[in-house]
Amino acid sequence: MGVVRRAAAAMAGVLAATGLATVAAAPAQAAPSRAELALRWAPIHYQDVDQTGAHALAGKSDFITRYDFDGNLNGRDNWDNTGRNTAAAVYYSVLETGTHYYLTYFFFHPRDWIDHPFFETEHENDGEGVLEIVAKDGSAYGTLKAAVTVAHSDFFSYAPSGSDWSDGGETIDGTLQLKPSPHDAFQHPVTAQERGGHGLKAWPQYDIDGDGVVYYPSANVSESPSSPDDRDVRYELIDIFAGGGLWAQRANANLFANLGTFAGDTSGGCGTGTYSCGTNSANAPWGWDDGNDVPARGEIATDPARLAAAYFRVPGTLDRSYSYNPYLSEAAALKAARNLPPTID
């Protein structure tokens, strides 16, 4: 063995003995799963609650829950069964392009209700929600850039402090606040829903006025509020694309009147003491529509990159090609559904 090789071998022995030997490079951290991304960015959610009147059910009509909360897939008995199960859940989807994640969160109530005889309409089933747009920037969960909420038949856009996204085809309506959760180590965006009609905006554009529930996200815990004024209730996140789940039921005529619109009727007292009760008046995410805006019916969920390009001025690249988008399997049917009469939620 030459002098150089003997010296190198000796040095290696010294390093090994002192614990300073070079070790193999640690493997790169795996990208988070879609479920992990959904949990990371899931909203802390403020739900205003009204206890007054028969349709309020002492506040239970304002609690979020599952679309099959009553143990069946019949959309036409949800008004009748409201309050039987108030275990909290929120449905999510995560679509992906080369540059961004698009996270949709869907909040379901069995009733959109009012408690006076004036010129407003209530209806069975209620579906509102929010789209969040997260840029891939090399960090574990990306950076939240913007959000668009659904309040009945109108969309409202927001950006968090520090975002470099600005007004595009639509004017940004406010700042998306973030708050810590007592149940994890993250700052979460904060959303809120009004009582009765359940329009959804970024907090505090809607807020709790008196009684209300504050919901926190969880991967597997589904709690019922202990009262109409419970400020720490965990909701379970459920994948829209789960086997047998919400998207899988899209052609179930007992649950949906057409593609993206829940089936609902006037049974159970809906409309009693009020102006009227609408039928088939609530939308799943692929039926959400702001008729005054460029994106077509449902595209806030099914083609959110198009909405992002239409709503915001985006610096850098905004990839419009999806590496994950299960909605594409029904692209023709979704396109045809854009010609359905508008559903006024």
Side-chain angles (χ1 to χ4, degrees):
M1 179 182 294
V3 173
V4 173
R5 292 177 63 189
R6 285 197 300 270
M11 180 60 71
V14 170
L15 289 172
T18 58
L20 298 177
T22 302
V23 297
Q29 183 177 0
S33 67
R34 285 183 284 274
E36 290 169 333
L37 281 165
L39 180 60
R40 162 65 188 92
W41 294 113
I44 295 170
H45 191 64
Y46 284 55
Q47 175 63 66
D48 196 22
V49 172
D50 187 352
Q51 299 188 57
T52 60
H55 294 188
L57 297 180
K60 291 182 179 179
S61 291
D62 289 321
F63 296 171
I64 62 172
T65 189
R66 292 166 170 76
Y67 67 89
D68 56 352
F69 70 97
D70 54 358
N72 65 51
L73 294 173
N74 180 8
R76 297 179 179 88
D77 67 1
N78 287 337
W79 178 284
D80 315 52
N81 294 334
T82 302
R84 293 187 181 181
N85 181 354
T86 58
V90 171
Y91 297 87
Y92 75 88
S93 65
V94 181
L95 275 55
E96 184 176 355
T97 69
T99 56
H100 293 84
Y101 299 109
Y102 296 90
L103 300 96
T104 298
Y105 299 91
F106 170 67
F107 298 78
F108 178 82
H109 297 79
R111 295 182 177 184
D112 177 309
W113 67 279
I114 55 176
D115 193 35
H116 57 70
F118 303 118
F119 297 99
E120 293 182 51
T121 300
E122 58 189 6
H123 57 79
E124 187 165 39
N125 302 315
D126 196 15
E128 319 279 348
V130 58
L131 166 70
E132 296 176 9
I133 306 167
V134 174
K136 297 179 176 180
D137 60 0
S139 62
Y141 297 100
T143 299
L144 181 62
K145 293 294 186 178
V148 179
T149 72
V150 179
H152 310 298
S153 299
D154 292 298
F155 296 167
F156 295 86
S157 58
Y158 303 90
S161 296
S163 174
D164 55 357
W165 287 31
S166 56
D167 295 346
E170 297 289 328
T171 301
I172 292 175
D173 294 294
T175 300
L176 183 63
Q177 306 288 335
L178 283 82
K179 287 189 174 186
S181 168
H183 303 289
D184 61 38
F186 296 117
Q187 295 273 332
H188 292 263
V190 189
T191 54
Q193 283 183 276
E194 61 183 351
R195 58 191 178 184
H198 305 136
L200 193 152
K201 295 183 180 181
W203 178 87
Q205 288 194 358
Y206 284 140
D207 201 353
I208 291 172
D209 181 13
D211 292 334
V213 178
V214 179
Y215 291 99
Y216 292 94
S218 171
N220 50 30
V221 177
S222 177
E223 297 178 328
S224 292
S226 60
S227 75
D229 197 33
D230 190 339
R231 302 305 173 97
D232 189 351
V233 179
R234 282 181 287 179
Y235 67 78
E236 181 179 5
L237 283 161
I238 302 175
D239 192 344
I240 285 174
F241 301 121
L246 187 60
W247 176 243
Q249 299 297 330
R250 62 191 178 277
N252 183 337
N254 291 318
L255 186 61
F256 289 103
N258 56 54
L259 187 60
T261 299
F262 284 97
D265 61 20
T266 61
S267 66
C270 180
T272 302
T274 65
Y275 180 66
S276 68
C277 176
T279 60
N280 307 333
S281 299
N283 293 315
W286 55 95
W288 287 339
D289 190 14
D290 185 326
N292 298 323
D293 294 354
V294 170
R297 181 182 191 267
E299 286 187 330
I300 184 174
T302 65
D303 190 4
R306 182 170 191 256
L307 179 140
Y311 266 54
F312 300 99
R313 186 182 186 91
V314 181
T317 302
L318 182 73
D319 188 0
R320 296 279 295 275
S321 298
Y322 294 96
S323 56
Y324 181 78
N325 184 353
Y327 287 118
L328 294 178
S329 65
E330 293 287 347
L334 290 165
K335 184 176 181 179
R338 296 173 193 165
N339 298 317
L340 292 170
T343 299
I344 307 300
D345 187 344

